Amino acid sequence: MSLNFNFNFTQPSQNKAKLNPEIIHDFLVIGGGPAGFNATLYAKRKGLVTGMIAKRIGGQLLNTSSVDNYLGIKDISGEGLMEQFLDHIHQLEVPILEEVEVTRVEKVNDLFEITVNNQTVFKSKTAMIATGSNPRKLGVEGEQEYSNRGVAYCAICDAPLFANKEVIIAGGGNSAVEAAIDVAKVASKVTVVHRSEFRADQILLDQMMSNPNITVFKQTQILRIVGDVKMTGIEVLDKSSNETRMINADGIFIEIGNIPSSDLFSDLVQLNEQREIVVDSKNMTSVPGLFAAGDVTQVAYKQIIISVADGAKAALAANEYINHHNTSK
Amino acid sequence: MQKMMNEEVQNQLKQIFNDMKNDVTMVLFTQEGECYSCEETKGLLEEVTELSDKIHLELKDINTDLDDVKKYNIEMVPSFVILDSNKEYHGVKFNGIPAGHEINSFIPALLEISGAVNEEIPADFLERIAKIDKPVNIKVFVTLSCPHCPGAVQKAHKLAMLNKNIEGEMIEAQTFMELSNKFNVSGVPKIVINDTLELVGNQPIDQFLAQIESL
Ligand SMILES: Cc1cc2nc3c(=O)[nH]c(=O)nc-3n(C[C@H](O)[C@H](O)[C@H](O)COP(=O)(O)OP(=O)(O)OC[C@H]3O[C@@H](n4cnc5c(N)ncnc54)[C@H](O)[C@@H]3O)c2cc1C
């Protein structure tokens, strides 16, 4: 039983700054992940009237058990890192509207109108999309049917439910390998299935390979997920022998990467084939004054430190844009 | 027994408990003999009681204190409810220890029942909540390592506090494996309403209400 206390409740009497629908902002940020945090930090320091709207503060950091590749901060939990970020933002009194979803963004007479799910509209001269990404689905038969009846997407949340059970991890990147190592602490047996070669960091691969509880199948493609009331296993194609076979398991964690959360903006800004938002070298989208940063963009390598840096670029560029716009009028 | 909460957490909580308005009472049900995490839960609640003179604890046994078991619909141990200063039950219940991330469900529940409000609910939601006139039970299955579970538990509890017909209970899935299996819990938070309707994930209040209204 975990008796650590991951305490992150803020004092009700601490008057947190509130996002104001009555005023015109300089720079509003959609998304509360690493990119969004850093963009508001930079914007605030530039003196811009800024704020953040986020469905879930922390973004993917909340699903990350440990981060060991953020310069200067050694081995920390994803949540711990988020708290440090947030602490910094709170110090600057950046207004944050949380647990609220943006449902529409429009440019009306040179102003961005951002509508949220309770119909409130916030106005801003410039805005930034940092809505990140969501777990990619396998897209095989049985995945939907057994979703939450064996098929899971959040290893740190759901690993305890598979204590002493047999679990499959699908994927070959860092998050799959991390999930395997995490789940192997509680599960009786972990099998990692990946359709090609591993892309994970060597340091993680070494940990996985030396774990007696973990079996690895490369060049193995998942064809379907089978079961009765709950899933009971998967059918795979061994690409080297071209044979299909069954692997029994009580659960499967799908860790095969992410897809950008860009659907909401597909009519507004240009997307590439991967449905990532296309930005220029200053993180501006195809719409002047509208910026984007982090995992939702075409930026190469989706990483915390990269998203954070992107957020900074976007905020500085927005500041430049506003200054330029003001003087040119 | 060694303290569960380190000094840092204790000090943080003391600070936070300064915002409590009225007294609250936790009524904890355990049982003699074998009981997974009963000792730990009792220890945790005792520690919390020490951090504010507004927080009180009553200890009950599920096999002998039958009137209370009935009054608060206690079905498993460890289980506890939080009562207001008039010792009234508002449907706020925890089954299993609220450690790990669940401390973030537990502490807000104490504060809210004491009358310290931290978040306003929009008026249209309040209206919809007030209209619910059937008995509603909301179970929220969680694990202690799940960062988005407290959000779902808090909402279930909030709904319970706002309407007498609603009961909201956290269920720690590992402690109550059998019940979790019965409801096919393999992803958390899993929300089950009146044992029939299911939601997965930390859903917005709107989704809770839509399900309840469909009953
Ligand atoms: C399991 C896992 C492990 C990882 N490990 C590492 C690691 O060790 N090191 C590393 O560098 N990176 C790691 N990553 C990647 C890293 O987490 C991401 O690159 C980073 O979080 C991207 O940041 P972001 O701000 O672009 O987006 P996200 O973190 O995805 O945040 C998006 C934000 O937008 C919000 N949002 C989305 N849609 C809306 C809407 N319509 N309205 C309002 N808000 C909305 C979300 O709620 C969220 O707040 C990991 C990822 C995962 C999933």
Side-chain angles (χ1 to χ4, degrees):
Chain A
M1 190 172 18
S2 113
L3 282 180
N4 304 325
F5 293 93
N6 309 84
F7 191 62
N8 61 11
F9 183 68
T10 42
Q11 191 96 6
S13 59
Q14 266 171 8
N15 264 332
K16 280 188 275 177
K18 273 205 172 142
L19 201 65
N20 185 353
E22 310 291 325
I23 60 171
I24 293 177
H25 296 83
D26 293 319
F27 180 66
L28 272 184
V29 171
I30 306 167
F37 284 146
N38 204 38
T40 56
L41 173 83
Y42 268 76
K44 187 79 189 189
R45 288 174 56 91
K46 279 286 171 198
L48 299 185
V49 180
T50 186
M52 173 189 282
I53 305 171
K55 195 154 66 180
R56 193 158 69 96
I57 284 290
Q60 292 168 66
L61 285 182
L62 284 185
N63 296 354
T64 306
S65 53
S66 81
V67 178
D68 205 8
N69 54 11
Y70 196 93
L71 183 66
I73 300 184
K74 279 168 255 158
D75 195 22
I76 189 170
S77 70
E79 197 178 22
L81 187 59
M82 172 196 100
E83 273 161 31
Q84 296 208 10
F85 287 166
L86 203 54
D87 192 41
H88 202 166
I89 305 299
H90 280 325
Q91 227 171 48
L92 290 168
E93 291 174 7
V94 173
I96 299 178
L97 185 64
E98 1 179 346
E99 295 245 347
V100 160
E101 192 170 343
V102 170
T103 52
R104 197 171 61 228
V105 178
E106 284 174 305
K107 193 172 186 181
V108 184
N109 303 330
D110 253 7
L111 278 185
F112 291 97
E113 296 195 355
I114 301 173
T115 310
V116 299
N117 52 348
N118 68 9
Q119 303 309 322
T120 313
V121 181
F122 296 92
K123 295 194 180 74
S124 188
K125 291 177 195 161
T126 64
M128 183 184 98
I129 303 167
T131 46
S133 56
N134 278 310
R136 184 188 293 279
K137 306 236 152 116
L138 267 178
V140 298
E141 185 191 321
E143 183 177 18
Q144 180 65 32
E145 189 182 348
Y146 295 110
S147 161
N148 288 300
R149 288 189 291 142
V151 178
Y153 298 89
C154 176
I156 58 165
C157 306
D158 300 336
L161 302 170
F162 294 93
N164 307 316
K165 294 188 176 170
E166 299 191 358
V167 179
I168 294 163
I169 312 282
N174 278 343
S175 53
V177 174
E178 273 173 24
I181 295 165
D182 273 355
V183 175
K185 290 176 193 152
V186 297
S188 58
K189 182 178 170 198
V190 171
T191 308
V192 182
V193 176
H194 185 45
R195 61 174 181 180
S196 52
E197 295 297 317
F198 282 94
R199 300 176 316 267
D201 298 346
Q202 192 60 41
I203 193 166
L204 290 170
L205 284 174
D206 292 346
Q207 274 183 50
M208 175 173 78
M209 293 305 184
S210 63
N211 189 322
N213 205 8
I214 304 178
T215 313
V216 174
F217 295 117
K218 291 187 292 190
Q219 301 294 343
T220 302
Q221 191 178 345
I222 298 176
L223 299 176
R224 60 192 182 105
I225 297 169
V226 297
D228 36 61
V229 187
K230 287 188 181 188
M231 78 162 265
T232 54
I234 59 174
E235 187 182 24
V236 296
L237 171 70
D238 186 333
K239 291 208 254 183
S240 47
S241 64
N242 225 2
E243 278 168 15
T244 61
R245 63 193 162 93
M246 296 293 302
I247 303 175
N248 293 340
D250 305 295
I252 181 169
F253 285 92
I254 317 270
E255 300 282 351
I256 53 167
N258 280 28
I259 41 172
S261 311
S262 61
D263 283 359
L264 192 60
F265 315 103
S266 58
D267 293 336
L268 184 68
V269 298
Q270 190 194 337
L271 306 182
N272 67 12
E273 261 174 35
Q274 288 78 41
R275 299 195 63 77
E276 297 164 332
I277 297 178
V278 176
V279 292
D280 66 15
S281 63
K282 289 185 174 172
N283 283 78
M284 190 146 88
T285 67
S286 55
V287 177
L290 183 59
F291 298 81
D295 275 18
V296 75
T297 71
Q298 96 272 33
V299 67
Y301 312 117
K302 305 323 196 221
Q303 289 289 299
I304 300 164
I305 201 151
I306 292 172
S307 298
V308 162
D310 248 11
K313 269 197 283 174
L316 293 174
N319 183 53
E320 198 175 84
Y321 178 91
I322 291 169
N323 287 341
H324 187 256
H325 236 63
N326 284 346
T327 47
S328 65
K329 261 185 193 162
Chain B
M1 195 156 71
Q2 208 203 329
K3 289 239 188 261
M4 291 185 209
M5 291 186 281
N6 63 26
E7 211 155 311
E8 195 192 330
V9 175
Q10 287 181 34
N11 287 336
Q12 257 179 313
L13 288 181
K14 268 190 208 155
Q15 266 280 305
I16 284 170
F17 289 148
N18 280 337
D19 282 338
M20 291 183 70
K21 287 218 174 68
N22 306 308
D23 285 31
V24 299
T25 303
M26 304 180 288
V27 186
L28 170 66
F29 294 79
T30 57
Q31 73 182 14
E32 292 274 311
E34 200 181 314
C35 173
Y36 178 76
S37 78
C38 275
E39 264 313 295
E40 290 86 349
T41 308
K42 180 165 163 260
L44 172 63
L45 299 199
E46 281 170 351
E47 280 181 36
V48 166
T49 309
E50 282 164 24
L51 299 177
S52 162
D53 49 19
K54 289 206 167 70
I55 305 177
H56 311 278
L57 176 62
E58 289 177 14
L59 300 174
K60 306 276 175 188
D61 188 298
I62 191 169
N63 299 312
T64 52
D65 296 304
L66 297 178
D67 286 350
D68 295 303
V69 166
K70 194 164 165 219
K71 193 158 150 199
Y72 307 125
N73 310 316
I74 303 298
E75 290 168 344
M76 48 199 130
V77 285
S79 176
F80 69 95
V81 295
I82 305 177
L83 311 181
D84 70 9
S85 55
N86 298 321
K87 297 240 175 137
E88 231 185 287
Y89 178 47
H90 292 273
V92 174
K93 189 188 286 176
F94 290 86
N95 304 289
I97 189 168
H101 280 281
E102 281 309 306
I103 189 90
N104 300 304
S105 304
F106 178 30
I107 304 306
L110 287 173
L111 283 171
E112 288 210 26
I113 295 196
S114 85
V117 186
N118 70 60
E119 201 187 345
E120 308 130 49
I121 298 233
D124 47 333
F125 283 157
L126 288 177
E127 248 172 68
R128 283 169 70 186
I129 296 166
K131 280 200 191 123
I132 296 165
D133 54 5
K134 285 178 245 171
V136 174
N137 168 274
I138 309 174
K139 293 184 171 66
V140 183
F141 289 90
V142 304
T143 62
L144 302 184
S145 58
C146 164
H148 4 278
C149 287
V153 176
Q154 281 181 39
K155 278 172 214 151
H157 283 159
K158 186 95 187 178
L159 289 168
M161 285 180 233
L162 289 169
N163 186 318
K164 282 249 106 176
N165 296 313
I166 306 176
E167 181 181 50
E169 46 183 337
M170 177 209 88
I171 300 174
E172 204 288 302
Q174 254 191 308
T175 312
F176 303 105
M177 219 31 165
E178 223 168 282
L179 192 66
S180 312
N181 285 335
K182 181 178 158 199
F183 287 101
N184 288 321
V185 178
S186 76
V188 288
K190 177 156 180 172
I191 300 151
V192 181
I193 298 174
N194 285 5
D195 290 357
T196 50
L197 301 174
E198 296 186 354
L199 288 168
V200 174
N202 174 14
Q203 300 287 341
I205 277 239
D206 197 26
Q207 280 299 316
F208 278 82
L209 285 173
Q211 292 289 329
I212 293 171
E213 285 160 351
S214 78
L215 281 171

